[in-house]
Amino acid sequence: MIPAIEKDSLEEIKIFQEKKLVELLEYISENSPFYKRLFAGQNIDISKVKTLEDLQHLPVTTKEDLQQYNDDFVCVPQNQIIDYASTSGTLGDPVTFGLTDSDLDRLAYNEAISFACAGIAEGDVVQLMTTIDRKFMAGLAYFLGLRKLKVGVIRVGAGIPEMQWDSILKYNPSYLITVPSFLLKLIEYAEIHGIDYNNSSIKGAICIGESLREQDFSMNILSKKITDKWNIKLFSTYASTEMSTAFTECEHGKGGHHHPELIIVEVLDENNQPVKNGETGELTFTTLGIEAMPLLRFKTGDMVQFHDEPCACGRNTLRVGPVVGRKKQMIKYKGTTLYPPAMNDVLSSFDNIENHLIEISTNDLGTDEILIKIAVKDQTPEFLQEIKDHFRAKLRVTPKIEFASKEVLNRLVFNPMSRKPIRFFDYRS
């Protein structure tokens, strides 16, 4: 199930997207209070925007715009809104997104072609190990996409290894949709309770929320720890509520594939100019085919690299590499630029660490200070020194590290008000 456009040449894809861009600009200039006001206030003549290169003449949209003017982005009457979703609020106040009936169909199509990219097909059974309630778009999207693919869905929800294994052993799903670190908990539970997980029905897992790969697409420590024990295929996927679109790996694991009929993508530098192919910049997108809340040049805050060489799977679309980090979470520490994922990766290499969090603050000199709190099975000065040495070897710096109780960290990291584990706390002024 590869859409024909994904096999087209980059030039053919560009021509298609430019036609859709013109349609989008006409739509939002007529129906979006926010963009109407923006275009008028900056004397923008949308009729002059014809090509993807012309996007650079248009202003970007930010998360702060969405938070401050949430309702002004809605382009349809309220009685056409069928579903209300919201962002997780990881980097600020949550934003509500309304979806029309057409938007839900688009969401289902996006997930169907994304799951098909990872090899899921009609006749498979998939265990959904994420929440589908609490205005969480992703859980609903997964269900709708799997239904469109005519795939069986087991809606177990998040957490509780015992319940997950009971369901796996009873219904024999072929794929899981989960946060990858939870797979380690499934392995641990199976080993304690004598479950032969390598002879289970599971062939693969669609992994959300955490990175599986290094920038060269090699497996990172987390994915190695999983696959060294459990012989399953891991697929990385990147998405957000704002884009209503996913970038999912195919079997070759060389980045998440772009769906050009659904979204226009750019990678921008600090001055909102495109970076060169292979360079790191901020993922910025323009949605196509959305009725309720389309977005123009929306800056995600996620730092990524694009790859445009053809993929062995037959798709010619752009691919998004692993997220380097979030722009707002960038840390300048002793002359070195760091992002939390790199520190998470270092900590993941130690089986003795049961949980951790990272706190960033501003010190008396006005520079960034890092404090990492870890809960471990066995606290010794030698182990603490081993971690510090590992940080110095991998990241060239050694942050302050201290022991904390597992109970205290669990309450902070697994906040019941949050859909995702929270490991990064930014207290900078």
Side-chain angles (χ1 to χ4, degrees):
M1 186 180 175
I2 304 179
I5 191 172
E6 298 190 15
K7 294 182 177 180
D8 286 346
S9 68
L10 291 179
E11 184 57 34
E12 288 171 318
I13 290 172
K14 183 175 186 290
I15 291 169
F16 171 87
Q17 289 206 312
E18 287 173 346
K19 177 177 178 291
K20 292 296 181 183
L21 174 61
V22 170
E23 293 173 5
L24 168 76
L25 290 171
E26 291 173 352
Y27 181 77
I28 61 177
S29 68
E30 292 174 11
N31 299 288
S32 168
F34 177 84
Y35 287 114
K36 257 190 219 180
R37 188 169 64 242
L38 182 68
F39 294 160
Q42 298 194 21
N43 295 316
I44 293 170
D45 182 358
I46 61 167
S47 67
K48 293 182 178 178
V49 180
K50 302 291 187 185
T51 69
L52 296 187
E53 289 79 12
D54 292 340
L55 276 170
Q56 294 168 44
H57 303 306
L58 297 173
V60 296
T61 306
T62 66
K63 289 179 182 285
E64 290 74 23
D65 291 330
L66 269 179
Q67 289 163 345
Q68 190 171 355
Y69 306 109
N70 197 168
D71 293 344
D72 289 349
F73 282 88
V74 179
C75 295
V76 298
Q78 187 174 3
N79 62 4
Q80 291 185 27
I81 302 294
I82 302 300
D83 184 77
Y84 291 87
S86 76
T87 61
S88 59
T90 306
L91 293 180
D93 295 332
V95 173
T96 296
F97 274 79
L99 292 90
T100 65
D101 205 42
S102 172
D103 292 339
L104 288 171
D105 288 341
R106 178 191 176 283
L107 192 63
Y109 174 72
N110 160 73
E111 291 298 339
I113 59 177
S114 297
F115 287 139
C117 188
I120 297 176
E122 182 177 349
D124 281 322
V125 176
V126 175
Q127 186 149 313
L128 183 54
M129 297 164 61
T130 65
T131 184
I132 198 170
D133 57 2
R134 296 170 63 184
K135 298 186 291 180
F136 186 41
M137 181 186 283
L140 175 65
Y142 302 148
F143 175 78
L144 293 175
L146 294 168
R147 180 174 179 266
K148 189 172 183 67
L149 270 181
K150 298 181 180 178
V151 166
V153 186
I154 312 163
R155 293 181 291 108
V156 179
I160 315 176
E162 181 180 4
M163 188 167 63
Q164 303 292 351
W165 273 116
D166 285 348
S167 180
I168 291 169
L169 297 174
K170 181 173 182 179
Y171 300 110
N172 297 311
S174 41
Y175 291 88
L176 307 173
I177 300 176
T178 183
V179 176
S181 57
F182 187 70
L183 293 172
L184 294 174
K185 295 185 182 299
L186 286 186
I187 291 169
E188 181 182 28
Y189 182 90
E191 290 176 342
I192 291 171
H193 293 86
I195 297 171
D196 187 359
Y197 50 91
N198 272 312
N199 280 319
S200 71
S201 59
I202 305 302
K203 296 189 297 185
I206 311 299
C207 295
I208 64 173
E210 295 170 338
S211 179
L212 294 175
R213 303 192 185 280
E214 306 290 356
Q215 291 304 312
D216 63 359
F217 301 118
S218 61
M219 300 180 84
N220 66 12
I221 292 168
L222 174 60
S223 56
K224 282 179 184 174
K225 287 176 78 170
I226 296 165
T227 54
D228 282 351
K229 289 199 167 188
W230 200 352
N231 184 27
I232 58 175
K233 184 79 173 173
L234 303 180
F235 298 89
S236 183
T237 186
Y238 168 81
S240 73
T241 301
E242 293 93 342
M243 68 174 71
S244 291
T245 312
F247 296 81
T248 303
E249 288 183 337
C250 67
E251 68 272 20
H252 299 285
K254 299 294 184 181
H257 279 282
H258 171 218
H259 301 315
E261 61 196 305
L262 301 180
I263 199 166
I264 296 169
V265 286
E266 305 171 81
V267 177
L268 303 180
D269 63 18
E270 290 285 340
N271 300 311
N272 296 329
Q273 296 300 307
V275 302
K276 294 177 182 176
N277 189 46
E279 290 184 354
T280 299
E282 185 172 359
L283 180 65
T284 303
F285 67 81
T286 297
T287 53
L288 301 174
I290 288 180
E291 284 185 338
M293 288 183 66
L295 294 174
L296 175 68
R297 302 196 83 200
F298 181 79
K299 301 192 77 175
T300 62
D302 290 325
M303 307 300 288
V304 302
Q305 296 176 2
F306 268 178
H307 303 269
D308 62 1
E309 62 276 10
C311 183
C313 71
R315 294 172 176 84
N316 293 322
T317 48
L318 293 168
R319 285 165 290 114
V320 176
V323 174
V324 177
R326 291 198 160 172
K327 185 177 179 181
K328 283 192 173 180
Q329 294 180 346
M330 185 181 77
I331 305 156
K332 283 285 190 181
Y333 188 67
K334 298 180 180 178
T336 299
T337 298
L338 298 174
Y339 289 96
M343 291 186 279
N344 290 334
D345 207 30
V346 170
L347 295 165
S348 294
S349 62
F350 294 97
D351 292 333
N352 191 27
I353 298 177
E354 297 181 294
N355 203 350
H356 74 271
L357 60 80
I358 301 165
E359 294 182 350
I360 310 298
S361 58
T362 304
N363 61 26
D364 294 340
L365 300 174
T367 59
D368 292 346
E369 196 66 54
I370 305 172
L371 171 61
I372 297 176
K373 296 180 179 179
I374 57 172
V376 301
K377 298 171 187 174
D378 183 23
Q379 292 186 19
T380 65
E382 292 76 18
F383 180 62
L384 195 60
Q385 188 58 49
E386 184 183 352
I387 299 172
K388 291 179 178 180
D389 291 344
H390 200 55
F391 263 98
R392 192 176 297 107
K394 294 292 184 181
L395 302 180
R396 302 193 303 277
V397 292
T398 305
K400 183 179 178 183
I401 303 170
E402 65 180 37
F403 293 122
S405 77
K406 183 178 178 181
E407 292 72 26
V408 169
L409 293 194
N410 282 354
R411 283 198 297 271
L412 294 168
V413 173
F414 304 110
N415 188 322
M417 298 303 294
S418 175
R419 300 170 187 153
K420 308 173 187 176
I422 304 171
R423 299 192 186 278
F424 184 77
F425 294 81
D426 194 341
Y427 300 118
R428 287 176 290 190
S429 53

